[in-house]
C-alpha cells in the first residue's frame, strides 16, 4: 500500500494541465522510485540482479545468492572465471522502511571482513550498498571517509558483530582477525543511488516488463545488401529450390532469376522480410527479457507448420501459403506485439527455414 509520503509525490500531478484521458482509464502514473520502495525483498534483489547483469562491460557474469550460508553476499559481479577468488564486486541489497543508516551496515561489513579472513572469498574490489529507500546522509558521509568508517566499525564490533555475524559462535575481533581488520581496505565500501540504478535499468530488457510504459521506438530495419550475408545462405537456398520446383529447373543462384521478373520481385521481398525479422530479433535482445523473441518464433512456427506440411503443387506455392498464414498470426500475448509488423511475421518464416524447422521442398516429397 502506498504511504502518505509517497502520495505526496503523486498527487501534485493531479492538478493543472498534466492530466490526460489515459489517467481516467488507468490512474495517475506512480513514479518508478515510489514503486521500487514497495518491492518485496525478493523483488528488490531481482531488480538489482537485473540491473547488475546489464553492466556487461564490467563483469563476465553476475550471480545472485541468498538464504542461510550466503556469507554476507547478495549479488556478485565476477570479473573473471576465477569467481570469488579473482576480482569481483558485491551489491548488498537492503529493503527497509527507512533510508539506510550506519546501524544497518555494521554486521554486513563485519561479515565481509570475517569471511575474507577465513578464505571463503577474496575481499571484493568494490562493495556497494543498495537500499530501496536510499542511503541516509550520515551513512553517505561516512562511506566517503574510509578512515572514519574503519574507526566506527571498530567501535561497533562488539555490539553488532560479536554475536551477529554467525549464530553458531561468537566472533571476537582479536588475534589474526584483528590483524586482518587492520589491513583491510575500507575504501571498497560505497553506495549506488536509486536514481542511478533506475536510469541504468531502463536500458535493460527487463525494464518495460517490470515498470510498463511500452517499448522504445524501434529503428528501421537495414536494407538487404546486394551481396547476401553469410547468415542468409540457407534460407536463400531454400527460396531458390522453391522457385526451381515451380519452374521445373534447378537454380544455381539468384542470377538465374534474370528471365523471371515475377520471381525476381518476390525474391527481393523475401529478403526484405528476413531483414525485418532480424531487426526485430536485435531489438528484442536490447529491450525485453531473454527468450521473448524465441517465444515469438515458436508461436509463429506453430501457427504455420500445419499449412507448410499440407500438400502443395510445388515448393513456391508452399512458401507463399506458409508466409501468408504467418501474416495472420496476432501473437497478442508476446511483449513485442506492439512493435511488430506484417513483414516481421513473414520474415520469421525464413529464420525458421534457416534453422531447418520449415522446408519449402521437403525431401520426402
Amino acid at each position: 500500500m502506498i504511504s502518505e509520503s509517497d502520495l505526496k509525490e503523486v498527487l501534485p500531478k493531479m492538478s493543472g494541465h498534466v492530466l490526460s484521458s489515459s489517467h481516467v482509464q488507468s490512474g495517475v502514473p506512480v513514479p518508478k522510485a515510489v514503486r521500487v520502495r514497495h518491492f518485496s525483498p525478493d523483488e528488490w534483489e531481482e531488480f538489482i540482479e537485473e540491473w547488475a547483469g546489464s553492466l556487461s562491460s564490467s563483469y563476465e557474469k553476475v550471480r545472485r545468492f541468498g538464504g542461510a550460508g550466503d556469507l554476507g553476499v547478495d549479488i556478485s559481479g565476477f570479473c573473471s572465471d576465477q569467481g570469488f577468488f579473482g576480482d569481483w564486486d558485491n551489491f548488498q541489497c537492503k529493503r527497509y522502511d527507512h533510508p539506510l543508516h550506519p546501524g544497518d551496515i555494521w554486521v554486513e561489513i563485519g561479515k565481509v571482513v570475517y569471511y575474507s579472513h577465513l578464505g571463503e572469498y577474496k575481499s571484493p574490489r568494490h562493495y556497494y550498498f543498495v537500499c530501496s529507500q536510499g542511503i541516509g546522509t550520515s551513512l553517505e558521509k561516512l562511506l566517503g571517509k574510509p578512515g572514519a568508517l574503519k574507526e566506527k566499525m571498530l567501535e561497533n564490533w562488539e555490539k553488532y558483530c560479536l554475536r551477529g555475524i554467525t549464530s553458531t559462535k561468537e566472533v571476537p575481533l582479536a588475534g589474526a582477525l584483528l590483524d586482518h581488520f587492520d589491513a583491510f581496505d575500507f575504501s571498497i565500501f560505497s553506495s549506488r543511488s536509486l536514481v542511478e540504478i533506475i536510469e541504468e535499468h531502463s536500458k535493460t530488457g527487463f525494464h518495460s516488463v517490470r515498470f510498463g510504459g511500452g517499448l522504445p521506438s524501434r529503428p528501421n530495419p537495414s536494407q538487404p545488401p546486394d551481396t547476401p550475408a553469410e547468415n542468409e545462405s540457407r534460407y536463400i537456398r531454400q527460396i531458390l529450390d522453391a522457385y526451381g520446383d515451380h519452374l521445373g529447373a534447378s537454380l544455381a543462384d539468384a542470377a538465374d532469376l534474370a528471365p523471371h521478373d515475377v520471381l525476381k520481385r518476390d525474391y527481393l521481398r523475401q529478403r526484405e522480410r528476413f531483414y525485418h525479422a532480424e531487426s526485430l530479433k536485435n531489438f528484442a535482445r536490447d529491450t525485453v527479457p531473454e527468450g521473448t523473441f524465441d517465444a515469438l518464433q515458436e508461436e509463429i512456427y506453430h501457427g504455420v507448420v500445419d499449412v507448410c506440411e499440407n500438400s502443395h503443387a510445388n515448393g513456391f506455392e508452399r512458401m507463399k501459403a506458409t508466409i501468408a498464414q504467418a501474416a495472420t498470426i496476432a501473437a497478442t500475448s508476446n511483449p513485442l506485439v506492439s512493435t511488430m509488423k506484417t513483414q516481421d511475421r513473414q520474415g520469421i518464416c525464413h529464420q525458421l527455414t534457416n534453422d531447418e524447422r520449415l522446408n519449402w521442398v521437403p525431401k520426402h516429397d
Side-chain angles (χ1 to χ4, degrees), residues 44 66-67 69-70 83 96 99 123 138 140 168 183 188 290 300 328 358:
W44 174 241
D70 65 7
Y96 294 139
S123 175
S138 59
E140 193 64 54
T168 60
I188 68 170
E290 184 177 353
I300 297 294
T328 69
L358 297 178

Side-chain angles (χ1 to χ4, degrees), residues 21-181:
S21 60
S22 66
H23 297 146
V24 177
Q25 300 296 323
S26 57
V28 177
V30 178
K32 294 172 184 177
V34 174
R35 294 174 64 179
V36 164
R37 292 173 197 160
H38 296 276
F39 284 174
S40 69
D42 279 347
E43 287 174 327
W44 174 241
E45 288 194 8
E46 289 168 1
F47 173 67
I48 296 302
E49 181 183 15
E50 292 165 1
W51 161 68
S54 73
L55 308 176
S56 56
S57 61
S58 301
Y59 306 120
E60 185 169 300
K61 60 182 178 181
V62 171
R63 293 291 182 268
R64 177 186 173 198
F65 304 93
D70 65 7
L71 307 182
V73 177
D74 282 346
I75 294 168
S76 298
F78 298 114
C79 301
S80 71
D81 58 8
Q82 292 180 283
F84 284 116
F85 299 98
D87 285 343
W88 67 287
D89 296 341
N90 186 54
F91 300 91
Q92 197 65 25
C93 303
K94 294 298 179 186
R95 189 220 174 254
Y96 294 139
D97 61 358
H98 59 269
L100 207 63
H101 54 64
D104 298 320
I105 70 165
W106 300 130
V107 169
E108 303 305 335
I109 292 179
K111 286 180 181 179
V112 75
V113 171
Y114 176 65
Y115 288 115
S116 63
H117 165 63
L118 292 184
E120 294 288 351
Y121 45 66
K122 176 184 173 183
S123 175
R125 182 182 63 171
H126 300 292
Y127 187 111
Y128 300 104
F129 289 102
V130 286
C131 181
S132 59
Q133 300 290 335
I135 308 296
T137 303
S138 59
L139 176 56
E140 193 64 54
K141 290 171 64 178
L142 196 56
L143 291 173
K145 300 177 180 179
L149 180 65
K150 185 174 184 177
E151 289 179 10
K152 289 293 185 182
M153 181 72 251
L154 184 61
E155 293 174 11
N156 284 280
W157 188 279
E158 185 170 352
K159 179 179 178 181
Y160 290 92
C161 302
L162 180 64
R163 298 177 183 84
I165 289 178
T166 172
S167 61
T168 60
K169 64 178 182 178
E170 293 186 353
V171 181
L173 188 59
L177 178 57
L178 179 57
D179 293 338
H180 181 69
F181 178 92

Side-chain angles (χ1 to χ4, degrees), residues 240-310:
L240 294 176
D241 288 346
Y243 295 157
D245 196 33
H246 166 68
L247 295 171
S250 178
L251 301 178
D253 53 41
D256 289 345
L257 295 174
H260 310 285
D261 288 341
V262 172
L263 296 183
K264 281 171 59 179
R265 291 195 297 272
D266 185 80
Y267 172 75
L268 294 176
R269 285 196 300 273
Q270 304 309 333
R271 289 192 66 208
E272 287 176 355
R273 290 163 178 169
F274 176 76
Y275 272 79
H276 267 270
E278 287 292 287
S279 168
L280 182 61
K281 180 179 179 179
N282 293 334
F283 177 76
R285 181 190 60 212
D286 298 330
T287 57
V288 291
E290 184 177 353
T292 302
F293 185 79
D294 293 339
L296 176 61
Q297 278 191 326
E298 194 69 16
E299 188 168 357
I300 297 294
Y301 171 76
H302 285 286
V304 304
V305 64
D306 291 337
V307 171
C308 184
E309 293 182 354
N310 279 344

